[in-house]
Amino acid sequence: MLIDRIFKIFTSLKLTVICLGFGIVLVFVGTLAQVHMGIHAVQEEYFGAFLVYWKPAGANWKIPVLPGGYLLGIILLLNLLAAHIFRFQWAWKKSGIFLTHLGVLLLIVGGFLSGLLSVESQMPLDMGQTKNYSEDPLAVELVLVDTSHPDYDEVVAIPQHFLGSEKNIQHPRLPFRLNIEKYYPNSKLAMRQPGTDAAAAATQDIGINVQATEIPRATQVNQQDIVSALVEIVTPEKSLGTWLVSSGLGKDQIFSTEGKTWHIGIRQARYYKPYSIQLLNFSHDLYPGTDIPKNFSSRVRVVNPSFKEDREVLIYMNHPLRYAGETYYQASFANNDKTSILQVMRNPGWLTPYFACSLVGLGLLVQFSIHLTSFIRRRKA
Amino acid sequence: MNPNLKSFGLMAAVLSIFLTGCGRSEIQVYRVPKEIRTAPAFPQASESQIAWATPQGWNEQPSSGMRLGSFAVPGPAGKAGADVSIVQLTGEAGGTLANINRWRSQLELGAISETQMARQVTQFSVNGIQATMVDLLSSKPVGDPPQVTRMLAVMIPQDASTVFVKMTGEEHMVTSQKAKFLQLVSSIRFSKTAPPPAIAAQWKAPPHWKAQPLTAMRKGSFLITGENNSRAEVSITSFGGMAGGILANINRWRGQIGLAAISEPDLEKNAETTHIQGHHITIVNMAGKGGQRILGAITPHGEETWFFKISGDDQLVQSQKPALIEFLKTVKFP
């Protein structure tokens, strides 16, 4: 029966070896690709993908050439599960192997959990500044903020992938439609030079004077894309015009419709938190008489109204703040030591590698102990 | 079905549901406390603080977006009022002519030339600073609601920025408020704040190079005037990395004076390289069409590439080469 043959393939050790072989090739090719694509793009397109594609320069087609990290992980996971279900017979003397395999399964599942659920962001804080959100250094969002209410702002945050994939964006909370006329994944902004530059595509606000030009995506770890887009705002009655929005403008632009004032802009994607963090002091200590850094530390104040919590914490190297499921590391600093940059990591599966490795270790210990005792018994006999 | 098959199928199904469930993020809507929106890093300048006196009868609105000041001028009963704004932008924000032509296009009027502009602007002093005013009237009803629209705009250069004061509205409304508009303009005062620490390049320009206001792109800007009203412009810019490479930039300059692009092998014939103060500098001297010439120097420094360009009338630019070499010797990069 066909179905049985398929399951037989899944239980085979050959499949495991093939997958591990592809895994080695993937790591090798992915490491080389980082030179041109940068670590983040490779993570996305090689290790966090089901298939790795090859696209000739300038072509608009692509073909899959390698299984991606996710696909290999899933096949290995199913392979291990199928082998246990169909092939292995439970016996006490094999309990070590079972424990080791359970550890490996947990490691693969934990890897998936981290890949899919973990969120990494940054919180740059100036001295004295308080923030209740961190920002994604790699992803941006198009925001439309209704500032008409006297007490609060209502934010409609549109993730970056909508800009590349959707031509028209509509949302029940927006009394207008957004028509994405052009999307620049990375761009260069310059003041428009009258006479030499083409006519402005934007018809409103700063876009009339600023020219965006598409440039290749940033590949270095310390570079950031300047994401820009030309967005036409269309109410049911008419078009309000076209705005150039960009993460490089550093400021929202404003328009009004139906008696409400809206801010439009592209900014680094934000993750809001139910608590706030204030930077009280940042220290950058050097070894006396040298420029060699000895210590970076941030003294912060954590205020969480729902728990009536208000306390000070010192974050320094290897001593992060773990709070509300997130970990704050001292990552960097800027602005002549007046700005501290905290790395914020949310990873619900952060404990799984510890459990998994402990299980693998325990399994190996049990299995070797079983063999050792049976060996000793046989010698005695 | 084989119970083993069943449990394997169940696990595979759970795994696929889990993987498809973890899709990409969706549009989010949330409320946040009102935030103080910071000044932009890119186009707006705020080296000086600005203050004004609001004319009687005008309603000052909260400043927002690009606007430092905003006023609603109430119209007569049942009629639309006028809108007044005060905006400050870096440098000349494209230049006087470009701004006037942009406003003209808003009123659906055709673009004008520099000579035509000279006849249409009035210049006067605002607290010792020379300001330029333009008075525009649409030739037909424009805007929403359509009306014959008049626009009064004043540009006041201030340090490395320009302040724009503009009143737009129905023709008669704006005419009736012109005196109050001028009263607002003359009430504008600048108070300086401490300048940011200088991280600019330093140099000593020849005395006949007249310093010009800087723009967002230009680190240095000079005007050279010669005999028979000949003119040349010196611009100093810097861009990150190789800024597209030396050949691409030389070809860009060639394009500006109507010359065809050259290829890498021709670069050596068209450019000379020299060392000044330890910097490797590529110099090009190109005569273009229409009596234009570009004399340019390109040098990488640190993570940036610096461009020194003299463009203008052929003879005058040609005569500036010794001055450019002397100037380059004085440049101290940041």
Side-chain angles (χ1 to χ4, degrees):
Chain A
M1 208 170 116
L2 179 71
I3 207 157
D4 285 328
R5 276 167 64 187
I6 292 173
F7 284 114
K8 206 172 171 193
I9 293 172
F10 268 108
T11 59
S12 88
L13 191 63
K14 276 184 198 159
L15 184 66
T16 321
V17 176
I18 291 170
C19 283
L20 291 176
F22 271 121
I24 293 168
V25 175
L26 185 70
V27 169
F28 181 72
V29 177
T31 308
L32 291 185
Q34 285 181 29
V35 178
H36 301 294
M37 296 173 65
I39 190 166
H40 301 297
V42 167
Q43 248 170 357
E44 209 172 281
E45 292 177 32
Y46 282 67
F47 304 116
F50 286 91
L51 290 167
V52 178
Y53 292 92
W54 175 72
K55 185 182 172 191
N60 53 4
W61 52 269
K62 55 184 182 176
I63 46 167
V65 285
L66 265 181
Y70 276 5
L71 185 59
L72 286 178
I74 290 169
I75 296 174
L76 278 171
L77 188 63
L78 292 174
N79 181 223
L80 197 56
L81 282 172
H84 270 272
I85 294 167
F86 294 102
R87 188 176 291 182
F88 291 178
Q89 297 294 319
W90 167 252
W92 274 110
K93 64 175 183 183
K94 286 186 185 167
S95 55
I97 295 177
F98 273 84
L99 272 178
T100 309
H101 281 178
L102 189 64
V104 173
L105 275 176
L106 199 59
L107 200 61
I108 299 175
V109 173
F112 274 120
L113 279 177
S114 295
L116 295 169
L117 303 177
S118 69
V119 180
E120 204 173 343
S121 56
Q122 287 187 337
M123 189 185 274
L125 286 165
D126 295 336
M127 209 81 93
Q129 192 181 17
T130 307
K131 271 188 188 166
N132 65 341
Y133 62 84
S134 57
E135 292 167 304
D136 194 327
L138 300 174
V140 300
E141 58 191 13
L142 171 66
V143 284
L144 288 122
V145 187
D146 175 4
T147 58
S148 314
H149 200 279
D151 300 329
Y152 58 82
D153 289 345
E154 187 166 276
V155 182
V156 179
I158 301 163
Q160 184 173 355
H161 65 87
F162 277 85
L163 300 178
S165 60
E166 305 285 326
K167 282 277 159 254
N168 282 296
I169 299 173
Q170 275 182 309
H171 191 273
R173 302 306 276 268
L174 298 176
F176 42 76
R177 172 168 62 85
L178 303 174
N179 178 15
I180 311 296
E181 290 185 357
K182 186 134 178 63
Y183 166 57
Y184 307 88
N186 191 16
S187 59
K188 193 175 72 178
L189 299 180
M191 293 304 279
R192 179 174 298 284
Q193 300 294 316
T196 51
D197 288 337
T203 60
Q204 302 292 326
D205 216 320
I206 190 74
I208 298 167
N209 290 327
V210 175
Q211 168 103 351
T213 319
E214 187 161 359
I215 55 171
R217 299 283 304 266
T219 56
Q220 303 300 312
V221 178
N222 57 355
Q223 289 177 339
Q224 211 171 33
D225 288 332
I226 292 182
V227 184
S228 305
L230 283 166
V231 182
E232 184 190 13
I233 296 174
V234 188
T235 64
E237 294 83 35
K238 59 176 181 177
S239 165
L240 298 181
T242 301
W243 275 259
L244 171 73
V245 283
S246 172
S247 58
L249 286 175
K251 189 170 195 273
D252 298 343
Q253 297 168 70
I254 297 171
F255 65 93
S256 296
T257 182
E258 294 181 10
K260 284 188 172 181
T261 306
W262 291 85
H263 288 240
I264 183 169
I266 286 183
R267 67 185 186 194
Q268 297 310 125
R270 287 185 183 180
Y271 306 110
Y272 279 90
K273 306 170 192 316
Y275 55 90
S276 64
I277 290 186
Q278 181 186 20
L279 177 66
L280 299 175
N281 191 29
F282 174 70
S283 302
H284 174 191
D285 306 328
L286 301 173
Y287 284 101
T290 71
D291 289 334
I292 302 165
K294 183 182 173 190
N295 180 42
F296 309 109
S297 63
S298 296
R299 178 165 289 284
V300 297
R301 181 178 168 209
V302 182
V303 179
N304 191 340
S306 39
F307 296 115
K308 293 190 176 141
E309 192 175 356
D310 186 347
R311 64 185 170 106
E312 285 184 20
V313 184
L314 187 67
I315 301 173
Y316 56 107
M317 275 190 282
N318 300 327
H319 285 79
L321 159 69
R322 290 188 198 280
Y323 189 75
E326 292 187 314
T327 312
Y328 289 79
Y329 298 92
Q330 180 66 56
S332 187
F333 57 94
N335 194 14
N336 285 332
D337 293 358
K338 289 192 180 69
T339 303
S340 174
I341 301 171
L342 303 174
Q343 192 79 8
V344 188
M345 193 71 200
R346 172 177 282 277
N347 183 4
W350 72 281
L351 277 174
T352 46
Y354 296 95
F355 282 125
C357 290
S358 308
L359 272 178
V360 171
L362 183 69
L364 291 174
L365 187 70
V366 168
Q367 199 59 34
F368 286 132
S369 306
I370 291 170
H371 277 284
L372 188 66
T373 31
S374 65
F375 176 72
I376 292 168
R377 270 187 200 150
R378 258 184 286 157
R379 263 189 100 179
K380 276 184 180 169
Chain B
M1 196 192 259
N2 180 342
N4 285 345
L5 265 180
K6 234 179 181 173
S7 50
F8 180 75
L10 189 71
M11 281 187 198
V14 168
L15 191 68
S16 55
I17 289 169
F18 172 73
L19 284 171
T20 47
C22 295
R24 298 210 279 180
S25 44
E26 290 301 316
I27 297 177
Q28 286 189 317
V29 181
Y30 49 83
R31 285 176 182 176
V32 291
K34 289 227 160 260
E35 79 181 65
I36 301 156
R37 287 167 199 281
T38 50
F42 183 67
Q44 198 166 354
S46 55
E47 280 123 15
S48 51
Q49 302 225 314
I50 181 169
W52 57 80
T54 308
Q56 222 173 9
W58 286 15
N59 300 326
E60 187 159 354
Q61 309 286 308
S63 62
S64 58
M66 309 292 294
R67 294 183 173 207
L68 296 176
S70 189
F71 310 87
V73 184
K79 293 264 177 79
D83 174 65
V84 181
S85 66
I86 301 177
V87 170
Q88 191 174 16
L89 293 173
T90 303
E92 294 173 279
T96 310
L97 180 64
N99 280 298
I100 290 177
N101 277 334
R102 180 164 58 84
W103 294 326
R104 289 182 66 86
S105 74
Q106 287 169 5
L107 299 186
E108 298 183 18
L109 296 168
I112 54 169
S113 68
E114 191 117 16
T115 335
Q116 289 169 309
M117 180 188 78
R119 288 196 293 268
Q120 293 193 12
V121 297
T122 9
Q123 295 200 314
F124 58 99
S125 166
V126 176
N127 297 308
I129 305 167
Q130 174 129 322
T132 307
M133 186 168 92
V134 65
D135 187 345
L136 303 171
L137 182 66
S138 70
S139 52
K140 56 181 180 187
V142 294
D144 183 27
Q147 58 187 2
V148 174
T149 304
R150 188 170 181 186
M151 184 189 284
L152 293 174
V154 175
M155 286 160 273
I156 314 167
Q158 172 61 19
D159 290 335
S161 67
T162 308
V163 173
F164 296 85
V165 191
K166 203 169 79 162
M167 174 156 70
T168 319
E170 190 275 324
E171 180 195 357
H172 300 294
M173 181 67 208
V174 172
T175 310
S176 70
Q177 297 293 319
K178 188 173 177 178
K180 283 188 177 175
F181 176 76
L182 291 173
Q183 185 190 324
L184 170 76
V185 171
S186 55
S187 77
I188 288 176
R189 298 276 185 283
F190 298 100
S191 61
K192 298 220 171 166
T193 53
I199 329 168
Q202 292 177 339
W203 47 65
K204 193 165 182 290
H208 65 285
W209 290 12
K210 300 286 172 237
Q212 299 295 305
L214 301 179
T215 65
M217 306 295 295
R218 290 191 180 187
K219 303 281 195 297
S221 184
F222 301 92
L223 181 70
I224 311 167
T225 44
E227 289 170 1
N228 304 326
N229 287 331
S230 60
R231 286 158 67 98
E233 204 178 37
V234 185
S235 73
I236 302 166
T237 51
S238 75
F239 296 93
M242 286 301 293
I246 288 177
L247 180 67
N249 280 291
I250 290 176
N251 279 334
R252 184 168 57 82
W253 287 347
R254 291 180 70 85
Q256 288 170 5
I257 49 173
L259 296 177
I262 54 168
S263 60
E264 193 79 47
D266 296 329
L267 187 60
E268 275 182 31
K269 282 180 254 164
N270 286 275
E272 57 180 289
T273 53
T274 180
H275 279 84
I276 297 175
Q277 310 281 29
H279 288 94
H280 182 85
I281 298 180
T282 306
I283 296 177
V284 283
N285 192 354
M286 305 173 293
K289 290 183 179 162
Q292 294 290 297
R293 178 180 284 274
I294 287 181
L295 174 65
I298 304 174
T299 181
H301 176 78
E303 292 178 352
E304 292 195 310
T305 304
W306 286 73
F307 299 87
F308 304 83
K309 186 176 92 168
I310 307 181
S311 57
D313 294 319
D314 190 351
Q315 294 296 321
L316 183 61
V317 175
Q318 178 76 311
S319 68
Q320 296 304 308
K321 194 168 176 187
L324 175 67
I325 302 289
E326 284 308 307
F327 175 75
L328 290 172
K329 286 179 187 168
T330 69
V331 176
K332 286 196 186 88
F333 292 101

